[in-house]
């Protein structure tokens, strides 16, 4: 197994594949049903995530992107069957708002790159999804299903995935412990609040974020929603209003 990746079993059919050796500490999630497997995000693309995935499942793997920022789709090159939201299509077709040299600097920052990795050939994944996902879609893996939730705010086509049978919620970059980012031109603070409200209405039992600590309680969603409601009431829910800190999380507008 490549030491770049850390594998944490969530249950016998669900695994977290993490990249703790990079400052992003990106998490990807492999869910297996009776007929196929689903990989939620594919990470940085610094090492081949196909290796740990095929060690964990022998079923066909469909990849889904919570959003198509570079640190969540780096391994999409290994999964021709992948899905995304239509609002993210421009970024998959060459219009990602950061130049590749800036992405390469972030890829190399604060980490020990593995032997054999060539930074000068590192590129942002481009491609055409095999299927577009919409709010309310169900992804059937055979004996288990996930609901697709369109949750814009961090990015226009950001998606979360909810499994009703387990209460698992996979939140990408919308919810995690750390500083949430909502200051880019492509972010939308008002939509961020609406998306948190959508998640807060679900009977979530476990939250699985896109970055950093995996020890995260569902109540953080309510705290985030309530904090953004308060910022809105104060006229501060907009780009340029600053960074607001709430103990184990913060948000940058």
């Amino acid at each position: 197994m490549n030491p770049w990746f850390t594998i944490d079993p969530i249950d016998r059919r669900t695994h977290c594949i993490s990249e703790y050796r990079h400052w992003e500490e990106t998490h990807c999630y492999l869910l297996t049903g009776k007929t196929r497997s689903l990989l939620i995000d594919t990470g940085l693309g610094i090492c081949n995530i196909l290796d740990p995935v095929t060690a964990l499942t022998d079923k066909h793997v469909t990849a889904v992107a919570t959003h198509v920022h570079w640190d969540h789709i780096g391994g999409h090159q290994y999964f021709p069957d992948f899905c995304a939201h239509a609002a993210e299509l421009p970024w998959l077709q060459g219009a990602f708002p950061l130049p590749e040299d800036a992405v390469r600097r972030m890829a190399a920052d604060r980490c020990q790159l593995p032997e054999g990795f060539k930074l000068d050939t590192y590129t942002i994944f481009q491609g055409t999804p095999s299927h577009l996902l919409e709010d309310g879609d169900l992804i059937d893996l055979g004996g288990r299903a996930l609901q697709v939730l369109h949750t814009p705010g961090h990015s226009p086509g950001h998606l979360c995935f909810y499994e009703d049978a387990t209460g698992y919620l996979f939140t990408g970059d919308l919810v995690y412990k750390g500083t949430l980012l909502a200051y880019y031109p492509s972010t939308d603070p008002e939509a961020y609040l609406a998306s948190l409200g959508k998640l807060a209405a679900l009977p979530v039992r476990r939250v699985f974020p896109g970055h950093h600590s995996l020890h995260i309680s569902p109540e953080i969603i309510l705290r985030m929603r309530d904090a953004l409601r308060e910022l809105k009431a104060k006229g501060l829910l907009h780009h340029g209003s600053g960074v607001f800190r709430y103990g184990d999380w913060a948000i940058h507008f």
Side-chain angles (χ1 to χ4, degrees):
M1 187 68 67
N2 193 319
W4 178 264
F5 298 105
T6 299
I7 312 300
D8 289 303
I10 297 167
D11 59 42
R12 65 182 180 83
R13 302 188 300 167
T14 312
H15 293 80
C16 179
I17 304 173
S18 304
E19 297 177 277
Y20 287 118
R21 288 173 56 186
H22 191 275
W23 64 274
E24 288 272 18
E25 297 182 331
T26 300
H27 303 303
C28 308
Y29 299 93
L30 181 67
L31 290 72
T32 297
K34 294 179 181 178
T35 56
R36 62 171 171 153
S37 293
L38 185 74
L39 182 61
I40 300 175
D41 290 337
T42 60
L44 298 157
I46 288 175
C47 281
N48 185 349
I49 196 172
L50 184 61
D51 292 337
V53 167
T54 53
L56 293 167
T57 183
D58 60 358
K59 294 187 168 55
H60 174 81
V61 177
T62 299
V64 294
T66 57
H67 59 302
V68 300
H69 287 174
W70 66 279
D71 51 321
H72 293 264
I73 61 166
H76 270 48
Q77 60 186 301
Y78 305 111
F79 302 96
D81 180 13
F82 76 92
C83 308
H85 190 275
E88 309 277 284
L89 281 177
W91 292 349
L92 285 167
Q93 297 168 353
F96 192 71
L98 287 176
E100 284 198 336
D101 59 345
V103 170
R104 289 185 183 126
R105 286 194 297 271
M106 289 189 289
D109 187 29
R110 288 177 279 161
C111 79
Q112 182 181 353
L113 292 171
E115 184 178 351
F117 176 73
K118 294 180 174 56
L119 186 63
D120 59 349
T121 62
Y122 184 80
T123 59
I124 303 170
F125 174 79
Q126 306 280 275
T128 301
S130 52
H131 184 71
L132 294 178
L133 296 173
E134 297 180 358
D135 187 61
D137 283 351
L138 286 178
I139 300 174
D140 183 6
L141 304 179
R144 68 186 306 191
L146 283 92
Q147 180 184 356
V148 177
L149 304 166
H150 182 212
T151 51
H154 178 72
S155 76
H158 191 285
L159 299 172
C160 292
F161 301 92
Y162 177 68
E163 186 176 27
D164 183 65
T166 58
Y168 291 173
L169 178 65
F170 301 88
T171 59
D173 279 10
L174 195 79
V175 174
Y176 58 80
K177 286 184 177 179
T179 302
L180 306 173
L181 304 181
Y183 65 87
Y184 297 117
S186 56
T187 65
D188 185 333
E190 291 277 355
Y192 214 119
L193 172 56
S195 293
L196 288 171
K198 179 185 289 189
L199 299 187
L202 297 170
V204 177
R205 293 196 285 275
R206 294 191 66 180
V207 172
F208 297 102
H211 297 281
H212 309 314
S213 176
L214 291 172
H215 301 288
I216 181 168
S217 171
E219 57 81 30
I220 198 172
I221 300 171
L222 305 180
R223 289 194 282 123
M224 289 177 174
R225 179 203 61 189
D226 292 347
L228 265 61
R229 281 179 175 175
E230 184 177 352
L231 291 174
K232 180 179 175 66
K234 294 178 178 178
L236 295 171
L237 192 66
H238 59 80
H239 288 150
S241 59
V243 180
F244 302 91
R245 305 188 184 281
Y246 300 93
D248 56 355
W249 69 281
I251 191 160
H252 185 182
F253 291 121

